[in-house]
């Protein structure tokens, strides 16, 4: 056996051995093959860490148990259920995906790479993960934990390693008979490596440090959406701990909640979110252009 082949085989054995001993098989999205539930989990996991996703995943599926219920839900309800996960564009994209799937695919999540990447907010890597975890179809892809594994195992101390150098190794070691579990095994091994070593992904050409959240435009946008999601009505009765009315009550009348006018002025929002009026105006304009909010008679609400 050539040394390169032996290296690959030894690597595969090492990954499977770690998985057999330390699999994170209690993660709720690993307990289903339902394509809708896998889709929800993969969109949530795009930019949010596992401990934050676990409770929100259960809550979201309680509110929207299938693709039809998500497609039919008002955007404000979806954003309310999404609160705490950040990057609210994902929630809007997920609702739009549900609408497209119901209208154009008979309620069935596409089971091809081309069909999945045609959906809003779904890139190649997310599509490949949905194929693996919902349909047990193996397509080579790279995400952060997988990148860490191959950098650690095959690239020594090399810096500025491009994904184009890693992807052939992902393809060469892919277990096409068990892609679902193989990718779980790789991810779990990557989590282990990052918990015991300096993060190998820092040696990737594609590694970026997340910009500070405090004072950022992301924070302005997030506070505005949170304020407006909680602004369906100003009544205290029926509100949960966040101050937002329950989903069933919030759906009753888009023009008002128990007779109270929906929406807030930009000046009120600026006071509430504690940012300068100019930044609030700019953020509202951007949110409006993206379809998150609308302004009627000087009052802003979720679109």
């Amino acid at each position: 056996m050539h040394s390169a082949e032996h290296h690959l085989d030894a690597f595969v054995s090492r990954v499977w051995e770690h998985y057999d001993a330390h699999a994170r098989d209690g993660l709720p999205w690993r307990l289903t093959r339902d394509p809708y539930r896998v889709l929800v989990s993969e969109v949530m996991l795009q930019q949010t860490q596992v401990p934050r996703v676990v409770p929100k995943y259960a809550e979201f599926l309680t509110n929207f148990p299938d693709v039809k219920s998500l497609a039919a839900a008002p955007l404000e309800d979806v954003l309310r259920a999404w609160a705490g996960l950040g990057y609210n564009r994902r929630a809007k994209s997920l609702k739009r995906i549900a609408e497209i799937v119901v209208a154009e695919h008979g309620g069935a999540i596409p089971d091809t790479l081309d069909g999945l990447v045609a959906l809003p907010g779904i890139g190649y890597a997310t599509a490949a993960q949905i194929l693996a975890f919902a349909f047990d179809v193996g397509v080579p892809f790279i995400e952060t934990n997988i990148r860490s594994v191959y950098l650690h195992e095959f690239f020594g101390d090399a810096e500025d390693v491009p994904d184009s150098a890693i992807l052939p190794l992902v393809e060469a070691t892919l277990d096409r008979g068990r892609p679902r579990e193989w990718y779980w095994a790789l991810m779990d091994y990557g989590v282990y490596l990052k918990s015991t070593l300096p993060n190998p992904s820092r040696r990737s050409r594609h590694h970026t440090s997340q910009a500070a959240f405090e004072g950022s435009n992301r924070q302005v946008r997030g506070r505005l959406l949170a304020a407006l999601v909680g602004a369906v009505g100003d009544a205290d009765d029926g509100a949960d701990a966040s101050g937002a009315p329950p989903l069933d009550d919030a759906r009753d009348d888009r023009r008002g909640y128990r007779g109270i006018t929906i929406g807030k002025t930009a000046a009120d929002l600026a006071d509430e979110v504690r940012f300068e009026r100019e930044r609030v105006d700019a953020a509202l304009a951007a949110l409006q252009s993206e379809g998150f909010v609308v302004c009627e008679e000087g009052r802003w609400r979720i679109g």
Side-chain angles (χ1 to χ4, degrees):
M1 180 180 291
H2 296 301
S3 59
E5 293 176 353
H6 177 74
H7 189 189
L8 292 178
D9 288 345
F11 162 73
V12 169
S13 296
R14 192 154 52 249
V15 173
W16 278 126
E17 287 169 6
H18 179 271
Y19 181 71
D20 289 342
H22 304 289
R24 296 180 297 167
D25 48 17
L27 295 175
W29 43 87
R30 293 190 179 183
L31 305 178
T32 183
R33 291 178 181 264
D34 180 86
Y36 168 70
R37 291 176 175 246
V38 172
L39 167 70
V40 170
S41 70
E42 289 305 320
V43 173
M44 288 184 169
L45 289 164
Q46 281 175 348
Q47 293 165 296
T48 307
Q49 294 183 344
V50 166
R52 288 175 60 195
V53 171
V54 170
K56 297 301 293 187
Y57 174 76
E59 177 187 336
F60 193 91
L61 290 175
T62 296
N63 288 318
F64 315 111
D66 52 43
V67 70
K68 292 182 179 178
S69 61
L70 179 57
L75 177 60
E76 61 203 74
D77 290 4
V78 179
L79 291 173
R80 184 179 291 109
W82 193 267
L85 290 172
Y87 294 98
N88 291 288
R89 286 189 185 92
R90 294 179 298 165
K92 190 171 183 295
S93 293
L94 193 54
K95 174 172 166 52
R96 181 62 185 139
I97 287 170
E99 293 168 349
I100 292 170
V101 166
V102 169
E104 301 179 14
H105 298 278
I109 304 297
D111 59 0
T112 66
L113 192 63
D114 288 345
L116 287 165
V117 297
L119 299 172
I122 303 298
Y124 176 89
T126 300
Q129 289 173 85
I130 294 169
L131 286 178
F133 303 140
F135 303 105
D136 215 10
V137 172
V139 176
F141 71 91
I142 296 172
E143 56 84 63
T144 181
N145 291 311
I146 290 175
R147 182 182 289 114
S148 292
V149 168
Y150 285 88
L151 285 168
H152 172 73
E153 292 282 344
F154 294 98
F155 291 91
D157 295 327
E159 300 284 344
D160 196 37
V161 179
D163 282 353
S164 59
I166 297 174
L167 195 59
L169 292 166
V170 176
E171 185 166 12
T173 54
L174 173 58
D175 188 329
R176 296 186 183 276
R178 301 169 63 192
R180 189 172 192 253
E181 285 189 279
W182 172 245
Y183 280 127
W184 286 342
L186 283 173
M187 292 175 179
D188 289 357
Y189 188 43
V191 169
Y192 164 74
L193 290 175
K194 289 195 286 189
S195 71
T196 58
L197 301 169
N199 184 0
S201 286
R202 292 175 183 168
R203 296 187 283 110
S204 166
R205 180 174 298 175
H206 312 282
H207 179 73
T208 56
S209 297
Q210 185 170 319
F213 180 70
E214 189 67 28
S216 67
N217 287 335
R218 280 178 50 219
Q219 187 178 40
V220 180
R221 290 165 58 97
R223 285 188 180 179
L224 286 170
L225 289 175
L228 290 170
V229 165
V232 177
D234 294 324
D236 290 332
D237 54 321
D240 63 19
S242 68
L247 295 185
D248 289 341
D249 291 337
R251 290 193 186 103
D252 289 346
D253 189 344
R254 296 296 295 270
R255 294 170 300 168
Y257 175 70
R258 298 181 183 175
I260 299 173
T261 303
I262 283 178
K264 294 185 177 183
T265 67
D268 288 341
L269 286 166
D271 288 341
E272 184 170 347
V273 304
R274 301 188 301 280
F275 276 102
E276 300 87 347
R277 175 63 185 274
E278 293 79 5
R279 294 191 68 185
V280 167
D281 287 342
L284 287 169
L287 290 168
Q288 184 178 39
S289 71
E290 296 168 26
F292 279 101
V293 300
V294 295
C295 184
E296 296 174 343
E297 298 180 354
R299 300 183 73 87
W300 294 88
R301 63 172 176 83
I302 298 296

